[in-house]
Amino acid sequence: MDEQLNKWTARFASSKMEAAFQHAKQAGDYLNNLRALMLAIPIFAAYALLDFLMIEDPEPAIRYRLSACAISAVLLLALRRPALAKHQEAISCLIMAVMSSTLFFILHTRATIDHNYYVGLVQGGVFVCFLLRVGFVSAVAVLSWFLLGFAAAFGERIQTSEVAAQLLILCTMFLISGFGNYLLQRYRRSDFLKSRTIEQQNTQLKLLLDDVRKDNTRKIAAINTLVHFVKTPLHQINGFSEILVRSSGPEGDSVTAQERAESAKYIKNATASLSSSVNKLLAYHRLDEIERQHDIAETSLDDGLSDFVDLLDTDIKTNVEGPAGEIKTIPVALKTALDSLAAYFSEPKRQVSKLKIISTAADGGDVTITIEDNGAPLSSEEFLEEIKPLTKIDNYLSGGGSEMPMSLRTVARAVELMRGELAHTPTPNGNSFSLRLSDYPATLSDDQATAA
């Protein structure tokens, strides 16, 4: 609907689309009209020589012509001011009106019209319609000024056959020039739509290319991380499996029952560690699909926090203060964040036995969930390292152990998708984690969806 053209004005039916077109062509039209008028004014002034040769008393005509050129030059210089440059189309038409008044003066003051000065108006019509960059409505206004001025210049002589013939020629020439300008304006807007479509397609292709590059970077990061943290449990499984295999062979008597039991226990633990690492990595990378889908819905934070408490280790005591309420967010991302956070607090190395959960609503519908624990203190440097995206890890071999530190990393990534922020503050008795969650609008606009 926005791309339809008004058949009478050759402008977009949508004012928004027309404004976009005018903005896109403003700089080019300004330079074109500036250069065209800089050439036209001196040429028009040079016609004073023709006045001198063809008119018996040329002084008034020459004086009027040069005065009109001086006024036009002042208007042209005014176009160089930024405040007036945006009105370049109207000022360009005004300059043509001022210069054409010279011909009206000459035709009005002369007794005869045998030198065909009306041809200057024909040249002016061609100049306005095809050399200047003005809209169809502006061109019609200038051509109408030419016709009315020509007719008014003769007064009672308008009824003579010669004047009528020249007026008819002007009408036909202006109709042709005006129709040419009409087609040109339609073509320019059609070309603008094509350029706009190409630009949008290029933007989409760039986004797709960026997404492919990010996807490739994430896959490489996942592979590097997986290779590092999978090596240890695989070595454990392989080594202790050898012990069990030997225990069933001819030399099996040399392996005690306790050694076989410990080997089986190590294999079980290594398998659980491997499974945990892979599941954490998959949970992190599933967020990429969530980011693309961007499904937003009204979500109860109270229900989410209730599920979060249920996932905690049974030895952890919790105290929940304040209703969290509801926000419009990405439900899957919220669940992933809370599930990963519950897994983080339940890790044995965290030594958490108490949690205090405080929900605070802010202006604009945003909600901040603060979780205080009594676990092992986490320094600011350690926190920043644990929430660093996989794609920004400098050395994948810098970590130790067989467990992949993915819990806080996944929480930070999920909160980022929800337009929120994960923050950490050390406390005298442990740590304070803050999740700020933003309330989405009811629906995303096209620009918001593209930005997301």
Side-chain angles (χ1 to χ4, degrees):
M1 189 67 178
D2 289 347
E3 299 179 357
Q4 290 184 351
L5 294 176
N6 186 306
K7 63 180 180 179
W8 297 109
T9 63
R11 295 166 64 94
F12 284 112
S14 168
S15 58
K16 181 180 178 181
M17 184 66 73
E18 181 63 25
F21 170 74
Q22 295 293 341
H23 177 75
K25 74 179 184 65
Q26 171 68 24
D29 286 1
Y30 169 75
L31 289 176
N32 177 87
N33 292 351
L34 191 65
R35 292 165 180 169
L37 290 170
M38 287 175 64
L39 181 64
I41 293 175
I43 292 177
F44 188 77
Y47 271 104
L49 180 61
L50 185 64
D51 297 335
F52 179 78
L53 296 174
M54 302 188 68
I55 301 177
E56 294 180 358
D57 183 19
E59 184 178 348
I62 293 174
R63 189 184 301 115
Y64 195 104
R65 182 185 293 273
L66 295 181
S67 298
C69 289
I71 295 173
S72 299
V74 171
L75 292 173
L76 188 60
L77 287 174
L79 272 178
R80 301 186 66 86
R81 297 181 64 85
L84 296 176
K86 60 183 179 180
H87 303 295
Q88 57 87 18
E89 182 173 315
I91 295 177
S92 298
C93 292
L94 178 60
I95 291 174
M96 292 305 301
V98 170
M99 290 196 297
S100 65
S101 67
T102 301
L103 299 180
F104 305 152
F105 174 78
I106 293 173
L107 293 173
H108 179 71
T109 56
R110 296 190 67 243
T112 63
I113 57 172
D114 53 342
H115 295 307
N116 298 326
Y117 266 85
Y118 78 98
V119 174
L121 295 178
V122 174
Q123 293 174 341
V126 172
F127 181 81
V128 169
C129 291
F130 298 109
L131 295 182
L132 286 184
R133 291 291 180 262
V134 298
F136 176 67
V137 175
S138 297
V140 169
V142 174
L143 296 179
S144 300
W145 165 258
F146 287 173
L147 283 175
L148 292 174
F150 180 82
F154 290 103
E156 296 179 355
R157 292 180 293 164
I158 191 68
Q159 298 178 359
T160 63
S161 59
E162 190 172 2
V163 174
Q166 292 186 4
L167 189 59
L168 178 62
I169 293 172
L170 282 179
C171 287
T172 55
M173 290 301 300
F174 288 169
L175 282 174
I176 294 172
S177 299
F179 183 65
N181 180 269
Y182 177 83
L183 294 179
L184 179 62
Q185 294 303 316
R186 292 183 67 92
Y187 170 78
R188 294 190 71 195
R189 283 164 174 79
S190 175
D191 188 60
F192 167 74
L193 290 177
K194 292 177 183 177
S195 300
R196 190 167 178 265
T197 301
I198 293 173
E199 184 178 351
Q200 290 174 343
Q201 290 174 343
N202 288 339
T203 301
Q204 292 173 350
L205 287 174
K206 185 178 182 299
L207 290 174
L208 289 174
L209 181 60
D210 291 342
D211 191 54
V212 169
R213 287 173 177 167
K214 286 193 297 183
D215 192 52
N216 184 59
T217 303
R218 288 167 180 163
K219 287 180 179 178
I220 293 174
I223 292 173
N224 289 335
T225 307
L226 190 61
V227 166
H228 174 57
F229 287 99
V230 161
K231 285 191 305 181
T232 300
L234 285 180
H235 288 162
Q236 291 175 341
I237 292 171
N238 183 60
F240 291 111
S241 296
E242 286 290 335
I243 295 176
L244 292 180
V245 170
R246 289 201 311 270
S247 69
S248 61
E251 300 177 357
D253 294 339
S254 62
V255 180
T256 66
Q258 182 179 358
E259 290 176 329
R260 285 195 293 269
E262 290 179 351
S263 297
K265 180 180 178 181
Y266 280 125
I267 291 174
K268 179 182 178 182
N269 292 337
T271 303
S273 175
L274 177 60
S275 176
S276 174
S277 296
V278 171
N279 288 335
K280 289 177 181 178
L281 189 61
L282 288 176
Y284 182 87
H285 281 278
R286 285 194 188 102
L287 293 171
D288 293 340
E289 286 299 320
I290 296 173
E291 181 181 24
R292 295 187 185 98
Q293 295 169 358
H294 220 72
D295 294 330
I296 299 170
E298 193 80 27
T299 307
S300 172
L301 291 177
D302 294 304
D303 292 344
L305 290 176
S306 176
D307 295 337
F308 164 76
V309 172
D310 292 340
L311 290 173
L312 293 171
D313 191 270
T314 54
D315 296 333
I316 299 177
K317 298 179 180 180
T318 59
N319 179 24
V320 181
E321 296 182 5
E326 294 185 347
I327 61 170
K328 289 182 286 293
T329 189
I330 306 174
V332 182
L334 178 62
K335 184 178 187 306
T336 301
L338 294 178
D339 289 355
S340 299
L341 199 58
Y344 175 76
F345 288 123
S346 298
E347 292 175 0
K349 65 179 182 179
R350 294 299 311 143
Q351 302 173 4
V352 175
S353 60
K354 291 191 301 182
L355 281 181
K356 183 178 181 180
I357 305 171
I358 306 171
S359 300
T360 306
D363 294 338
D366 294 353
V367 175
T368 300
I369 300 174
T370 304
I371 303 177
E372 299 176 356
D373 70 7
N374 64 340
L378 187 67
S379 69
S380 299
E381 293 77 13
E382 290 172 330
F383 172 76
L384 293 177
E385 190 64 31
E386 288 205 24
I387 67 169
K388 184 184 293 185
L390 287 186
T391 53
K392 295 184 179 180
I393 294 179
D394 301 321
N395 184 6
Y396 292 95
L397 301 180
S398 60
S402 60
E403 282 292 333
M404 193 176 300
M406 291 294 299
S407 296
L408 285 184
R409 206 182 312 276
T410 304
V411 175
R413 176 86 172 101
V415 172
E416 179 188 9
L417 293 187
M418 295 183 286
R419 305 192 310 170
E421 182 183 9
L422 172 64
H424 165 266
T425 304
T427 63
N429 300 320
N431 306 274
S432 175
F433 296 90
S434 175
L435 281 77
R436 182 184 58 80
L437 304 177
S438 297
D439 191 31
Y440 277 82
T443 57
L444 287 178
S445 65
D446 292 339
D447 292 340
Q448 288 173 320
T450 301

